[in-house]
Amino acid sequence: MGVAGLIFVGLIGIGGGVFALFNGVWTPEQTMDVPVTCPADTPEITKGTTVKALVWNIQFGAGRANEFFYDGGAAVGVTEQEVIDTLDAIGEVLVRYDPDIVILQEVDRDSRRTHYYDELTEILSRAPYPCHVATPYHKAGYVPHPPQEHLGQVDMQLAVLSRYRIDKATRHQLALLKESWVRQQFNLKRALMETDFPIAGGGEFKAFNTHLAAFSRGDGTLEEQTDQVAGHLESAESAGIPWLIGADFNALPPGDDPRRLGTAADLYAETSPITELYDSYNPAVPLHEHRDNPGPWRTWIPYGSDRADRTLDYVFTGAEVDIQTFTVLKGVIGVSDHHPLLMEF
């Protein structure tokens, strides 16, 4: 074979590799139905019932022994034993606090970095719930980043587990980061998951779950995503439907000056994007608590510390839902970089 032939074969090989890389990219529709697993005889929520719920970003079940590349470290994946130990710890938390509804972010289901464990199935084997729904928001056959060790295959999802019957769940695509088209294909595709629970005797309750953009660095993405989320909340509110959202908003409370975080200050806008949610709905933690006594409500824990230094995770409700108790579970450390939120409503 001549030089021209070798070049031609090489180009075919490169083209095939590029095609295979992009062919493994997931492109969700703007609105998608989410499959529901739920036995028909699962009891429904009764109006007036007190429901216990737990909200938690579980940091893809990777534990706390490593500083990951997106936080300034070098780690991409973890050992299989670290995944098993972390899943055991998550199961122990759910069994100990016994919530009726569990709202989770960062659940790996088929990712190289966590040894391809289906973490939703693993959690359910440790803390059984009859009903569950889940939808991806970072899914690709191969992510060619970071340079020192590619992330490879990833499938990270939002999930809701429940002892009450779930009728329906819907995935709403949110705005993407303002970056190149190529980066967008392999980066997170943030979403809002809307889960519908029938109420005995008629009506429904909605639980919303999301994890908004990190590292947007003032490009407007976080504000756009918050506006999109607020639109869905307002639709439920204007229809008189009781609802709750538990989420990692990746935003500081309104009035919390990001400059106190030093070099991390540029991750957060001076005016918090979630101000509109505080203005329109019922927060589990009032703003004056964040201002006057912030320590108990901080949820995100920097690497190498066991003390949270900022609030990123929140719960809001509409007028038809009354939060009776709310706690950030400060005793749960060493499992995730986020503390769980526990409430009764």
Side-chain angles (χ1 to χ4, degrees):
M1 184 181 293
V3 172
L6 288 171
I7 292 172
F8 179 71
V9 171
L11 289 174
I12 290 177
I14 292 170
V18 171
F19 174 79
L21 189 64
F22 280 92
N23 194 47
V25 168
W26 182 62
T27 305
E29 297 177 9
Q30 188 61 38
T31 303
M32 299 172 59
D33 290 336
V34 178
V36 176
T37 298
C38 194
D41 60 353
T42 305
E44 298 178 349
I45 293 176
T46 302
K47 185 172 287 189
T49 296
T50 296
V51 179
K52 185 188 292 186
L54 184 141
V55 179
W56 199 3
N57 179 331
I58 64 169
Q59 198 189 23
F60 54 93
R64 293 287 287 147
N66 301 276
E67 186 174 17
F68 294 101
F69 68 94
Y70 50 81
D71 281 331
V76 175
V78 296
T79 68
E80 184 173 9
Q81 190 60 52
E82 285 173 317
V83 177
I84 294 170
D85 291 345
T86 303
L87 292 170
D88 285 344
I90 292 168
E92 289 170 4
V93 170
L94 297 185
V95 169
R96 183 191 318 161
Y97 291 100
D98 196 31
D100 302 303
I101 297 173
V102 182
I103 299 173
L104 301 175
Q105 300 92 36
E106 292 199 18
V107 181
D108 267 5
R109 301 202 65 185
D110 191 14
S111 300
R112 172 187 171 273
R113 64 187 174 189
T114 45
H115 298 268
Y116 304 99
Y117 274 82
D118 183 343
E119 293 181 350
L120 178 58
T121 299
E122 294 291 332
I123 290 169
L124 289 169
S125 73
R126 292 158 169 82
Y129 284 82
C131 300
H132 55 87
V133 293
T135 190
Y137 63 109
H138 194 194
K139 183 175 183 179
Y142 193 91
V143 178
H145 182 77
Q148 75 271 17
E149 179 190 346
H150 290 176
L151 187 61
Q153 181 170 305
V154 64
D155 186 357
M156 184 173 74
Q157 306 198 3
L158 303 168
V160 172
L161 325 178
S162 176
R163 293 203 177 100
Y164 291 108
R165 183 175 158 189
I166 296 173
D167 263 355
K168 180 184 177 182
T170 307
R171 183 192 193 278
H172 304 284
Q173 179 60 46
L174 300 178
L176 303 180
L177 286 172
K178 307 300 189 291
E179 56 187 0
S180 72
W181 179 86
V182 171
R183 286 183 62 91
Q184 285 181 341
Q185 303 317 297
F186 298 98
N187 212 339
L188 285 78
K189 297 178 173 69
R190 308 276 182 171
L192 174 72
M193 186 166 69
E194 177 181 350
T195 304
D196 296 346
F197 297 78
I199 296 175
E204 63 179 334
F205 162 73
K206 291 181 181 288
F208 293 92
N209 182 9
T210 194
H211 180 192
L212 299 190
F215 315 117
S216 59
R217 300 182 186 277
D219 73 354
T221 302
L222 193 52
E223 289 79 3
E224 188 176 353
Q225 291 175 347
T226 304
D227 287 344
Q228 291 171 318
V229 169
H232 291 286
L233 302 182
E234 182 53 35
S235 292
E237 186 72 2
S238 60
I241 298 171
W243 61 267
L244 174 149
I245 184 168
D248 176 356
F249 282 98
N250 267 318
L252 300 177
D256 188 358
D257 188 348
R259 288 176 295 184
R260 70 176 180 81
L261 297 172
T263 57
D266 65 346
L267 297 176
Y268 306 101
E270 289 188 20
T271 300
S272 175
I274 62 172
T275 299
E276 64 177 301
L277 300 183
Y278 268 94
D279 290 343
S280 302
Y281 305 114
N282 300 321
V285 180
L287 268 184
H288 69 83
E289 288 283 347
H290 287 297
R291 181 186 65 242
D292 301 336
N293 187 30
W297 314 116
R298 289 178 175 164
T299 62
W300 188 81
I301 313 155
Y303 175 75
S305 174
D306 60 4
R307 186 171 185 174
D309 71 350
R310 68 200 76 168
T311 300
L312 300 181
D313 308 87
Y314 303 83
V315 170
F316 295 91
T317 72
E320 300 298 319
V321 173
D322 175 37
I323 295 179
Q324 297 175 325
T325 65
F326 182 85
T327 306
V328 177
L329 297 178
K330 296 289 188 174
V332 179
I333 57 176
V335 183
S336 168
D337 57 348
H338 292 252
H339 288 305
L341 315 179
L342 185 69
M343 74 215 71
E344 292 180 319
F345 64 91

